[in-house]
Amino acid sequence: MRLNTLLPLALLAFNVPGGARAQTVSDPVAFPMQGMEVPERHFMFNVGGGLSFPISDAGDRFETGGGFQLGAGYQFHRSFGVMAEYFYSGYDIRSDVLTGTGINGNHYMQYGSLNAVWNVIPRSTFGFYVIAGPGLYYRQVELLQLSGVATIPYCDPWLYYCATDVVPVAELVGSRSSTDFGLGGGVGVTLKINGELRFYVEGRYHYIFGQSFDVPGGDSRKADGQYIPVNFGIRY
């Protein structure tokens, strides 16, 4: 063939539409997994504290308390992870519960739980998540009675003060504790600080299945517990 005939044919071959050419290894149509987002996985942790509100029967006997929580876990996907947590809180017994007995007391609660965490809008500056799971709850109550007074010497050279003070002395009347199974769940909101590090505020409801006790009159009542801690802190 003549050269003036081959040249137009070569130009035509180079201008064939992309859909008619053979797909290469780098073509995303031929290999749809290329260019897709890989799920992010990383360890999680949270540190926080706040107020804890006893409600129902527990609220009739204990004042609002305070506590702190620690957690660590693993995020399998940007929207889902599993976290183990520890929580400690303390409460005073309400003043009207032991009126006229000369007794007061304290209440402490600790629990360990395993929770599923769903991040509803993980990419937003303002995040939102749901958390729920079972736990093991340890509750203790101590009753104290005023047994007298004692003189305690006090001296602080930096305050230029030394004296002997008279202070009341309390005697431990009794201490009871129980370890029970429970369930908890709640929601939280987050604010992005830097990367995956966020400030959070969370409210959660806990129901503890307590033991049964016989009360005067032959009745039996269960010492179930209900608490709503509201915590804030840092989570990653």
Side-chain angles (χ1 to χ4, degrees), residues 35-224:
M36 293 183 63
E37 180 184 1
V38 178
E40 296 187 14
R41 302 178 175 89
H42 62 70
F43 288 99
M44 304 186 297
F45 73 86
N46 71 286
V47 179
L51 298 176
S52 182
F53 302 92
I55 61 174
S56 189
D57 290 335
D60 293 337
R61 292 160 177 82
F62 306 117
E63 300 279 3
T64 299
F68 67 90
Q69 66 178 177
L70 304 171
Y74 190 77
Q75 180 174 285
F76 298 96
H77 187 275
R78 177 177 286 273
S79 298
F80 177 77
V82 174
M83 177 168 284
E85 284 187 320
Y86 168 79
F87 180 79
Y88 175 90
S89 56
Y91 315 81
D92 290 330
I93 295 180
R94 296 177 64 93
S95 58
D96 57 344
V97 173
L98 300 172
T99 301
T101 63
I103 297 176
N104 57 22
N106 304 294
H107 167 45
Y108 306 96
M109 181 174 71
Q110 304 179 64
Y111 73 76
S113 62
L114 184 63
N115 305 283
V117 184
W118 292 272
N119 295 304
V120 180
I121 45 177
R123 296 182 179 277
S124 175
T125 300
F126 289 94
F128 173 77
Y129 66 91
V130 178
I131 184 169
L136 198 60
Y137 297 77
Y138 173 81
R139 292 178 291 167
Q140 181 181 18
V141 175
E142 293 182 347
L143 299 180
L144 305 171
Q145 184 176 30
L146 182 64
S147 60
V149 296
T151 56
I152 306 293
Y154 176 81
C155 190
D156 191 329
W158 287 270
L159 298 179
Y160 308 106
Y161 176 80
C162 288
T164 300
D165 294 331
V166 177
V167 298
V169 176
E171 178 183 2
L172 181 64
V173 177
S175 176
R176 297 291 185 272
S177 63
S178 178
T179 301
D180 305 295
F181 174 78
L183 297 171
V187 296
V189 294
T190 65
L191 172 64
K192 182 182 293 186
I193 299 175
N194 183 21
E196 296 295 331
L197 189 64
R198 291 174 174 265
F199 173 81
Y200 76 93
V201 178
E202 174 193 286
R204 211 180 304 185
Y205 169 77
H206 295 272
Y207 191 96
I208 307 169
F209 301 91
Q211 300 180 18
S212 297
F213 293 87
D214 294 329
V215 298
D219 297 329
S220 178
R221 298 189 62 183
K222 296 193 66 176
D224 295 340

